[in-house]
Amino acid sequence: MRALAVYLVLLLALPLAALAVLFPANVYRAQGIAAPDCDGPLQVMILAVPTILIYGAGALFAYRAGWRFHRLVFLLCLIIALATVPNVAEAVHELYRNAADGECLG
């Protein structure tokens, strides 16, 4: 019963994970415009941090279960969690770039 609840949470968090992977940290640079996006990095972090936590915990749960099906779920959770890491790194880089340039101060 506990495994079913965990898999339900992972399934319900899948749209969150998709948005966390697909949203760019700077929407303007993604469109080819050289302008700061003051809200973009925080929007990415709001989506990506829960995704990493949910799928990291799901991977840990599936790894401890040990059956073949659980190993497949472990691998999928690990792939989803690791797919969000480059977007988080890009968002952090964008935050530091905005702070260093003195943009988005208020």
Side-chain angles (χ1 to χ4, degrees):
M1 188 67 171
R2 190 173 91 181
L4 182 64
V6 170
Y7 293 144
L8 185 62
V9 168
L10 292 176
L11 187 63
L12 291 174
L14 201 55
L16 178 73
L19 291 175
V21 171
L22 295 177
F23 273 0
N26 188 331
V27 177
Y28 302 121
R29 284 201 181 97
Q31 296 174 0
I33 303 168
D37 186 5
C38 298
D39 296 332
L42 294 178
Q43 290 175 353
V44 169
M45 297 297 274
I46 287 172
L47 295 171
V49 171
T51 299
I52 291 174
L53 292 176
I54 290 169
Y55 283 96
L60 181 65
F61 174 78
Y63 184 76
R64 286 186 168 180
W67 294 344
R68 285 186 183 174
F69 176 73
H70 294 293
R71 297 289 183 195
L72 178 65
V73 171
F74 162 73
L75 185 63
L76 291 174
C77 286
L78 192 63
I79 288 170
I80 291 171
L82 291 178
T84 59
V85 171
N87 212 6
V88 170
E90 182 184 349
V92 169
H93 180 69
E94 187 68 28
L95 283 172
Y96 283 130
R97 182 183 319 174
N98 290 342
D101 293 342
E103 301 167 340
C104 305
L105 292 178

